[in-house]
Amino acid sequence: MSDTAIGYIRLSQDGKSLERQRRNVEEYADTKGLELVRVYDEGGHASGFTEDREKYQALMEHVNTAEVGEVIVPNLSRLSRDRKERLRLLLEFDAVGVDLHSHELGRAVDLSEDWALVHQSIRATADDIEKRKEINRSKRATKERIESGFDHGRPPFGLRFDAAGEYWVPDEDFEDAIEVIMHRRSGLSWRKIAHKTGINKDTARRVWQRREKYLEFHNSV
């Protein structure tokens, strides 16, 4: 089988950034002497419990072209959180002769080993159950924060949580956020705002969408 490899990364909730995941995939390929031709980056808005992911589907189509012999992921959960889907993938890759490599494992999954499929089934089930528990805990915590009137979620650019971890307050980038709002009010394009402030256009747009929140702080000073 070909030593040509493709990778797949998807934002993790365990603090492992996309940049770090990409480095893991690239370093693994280099260490194993594999030719990495592409890394499919799903970004941070796709659940591992669904197959309806653009880059995931593109990767699977690429695998089915028979042009690659290896797939590299930071860990198996990046491909799928759902236990049944992960096992189906392992069997499908094995059937077409494509090796699935995990940076976390440090090797490819070899289903020819005794009890390998049983082990992978147990691991997939454990990951599935633990992640679903984590999601449910997060939903309950968010519901409780909302009911208590506290801010929730990751603070937007220019804001942080206060010392009690209850409300968003301005941080060191707050004045930059206000600058974005003022420039936009004056009619500047997103491109010009990005050039003047050094803040990328996507972040600037999100600041503008939350302008009432920022201006509430700004006007209270």
Side-chain angles (χ1 to χ4, degrees):
M1 181 57 70
S2 168
D3 286 337
T4 300
I6 54 178
Y8 178 83
I9 59 178
R10 180 176 58 82
L11 188 63
S12 171
Q13 298 302 313
D14 59 10
K16 200 168 191 178
S17 70
L18 289 168
E19 291 79 8
R20 183 179 174 190
Q21 289 184 48
R22 184 180 292 274
R23 287 198 304 271
N24 288 163
V25 169
E26 292 173 346
E27 290 169 1
Y28 183 96
D30 186 60
T31 299
K32 300 295 184 180
L34 302 175
E35 181 189 2
L36 184 65
V37 296
R38 180 165 184 176
V39 176
Y40 288 91
D41 183 346
E42 198 73 65
H45 302 287
S47 169
F49 283 108
T50 177
E51 299 173 50
D52 187 21
R53 288 172 268 151
E54 179 184 356
K55 301 303 181 182
Y56 173 80
Q57 292 297 333
L59 175 130
M60 296 307 297
E61 288 180 10
H62 199 158
V63 167
N64 290 330
T65 65
E67 295 176 353
V68 295
E70 324 286 335
V71 172
I72 308 171
V73 292
N75 57 61
L76 299 182
S77 293
R78 294 309 93 218
L79 270 181
S80 180
R81 283 286 187 182
D82 181 84
R83 58 187 182 274
K84 292 181 180 179
E85 173 64 7
R86 192 193 300 184
L87 290 175
R88 186 190 70 77
L89 282 174
L90 290 173
L91 292 171
E92 181 176 337
F93 282 14
D94 185 65
V96 298
V98 172
D99 291 328
L100 177 58
H101 298 258
S102 163
H103 174 270
E104 182 179 72
L105 292 175
R107 59 178 174 82
V109 176
D110 184 359
L111 296 185
S112 68
E113 297 176 355
D114 291 343
W115 294 100
L117 188 58
V118 173
H119 172 75
Q120 289 300 328
S121 177
I122 294 172
R123 178 65 183 273
T125 300
D127 286 349
D128 183 314
I129 292 173
E130 183 56 36
K131 187 60 179 180
R132 291 182 192 275
K133 286 182 178 178
E134 179 186 327
I135 291 171
N136 288 333
R137 287 195 297 268
S138 178
K139 287 180 177 178
R140 287 196 299 270
T142 298
K143 183 174 182 291
E144 290 172 359
R145 291 185 67 86
I146 292 173
E147 290 174 347
S148 299
F150 299 147
D151 288 319
H152 61 281
R154 179 179 297 179
F157 176 84
L159 300 176
R160 61 173 176 79
F161 274 112
D162 61 17
E166 296 174 347
Y167 300 102
W168 295 338
V169 295
D171 69 5
E172 64 274 9
D173 295 319
F174 179 73
E175 290 304 322
D176 293 333
I178 294 298
E179 185 180 356
V180 166
I181 294 170
M182 296 308 170
H183 282 318
R184 187 60 177 172
R185 275 184 167 180
S186 69
L188 287 188
S189 68
W190 295 118
R191 181 180 62 80
K192 289 183 178 179
I193 291 173
H195 178 72
K196 281 181 171 290
T197 64
I199 299 171
N200 70 63
K201 291 184 288 186
D202 288 340
T203 299
R205 288 190 183 96
R206 287 193 290 271
V207 167
W208 178 250
Q209 289 169 354
R210 291 182 178 272
R211 59 189 178 279
E212 292 184 4
K213 185 73 172 180
Y214 290 100
L215 292 173
E216 179 183 334
F217 287 119
H218 185 65
N219 295 332
S220 66
V221 175

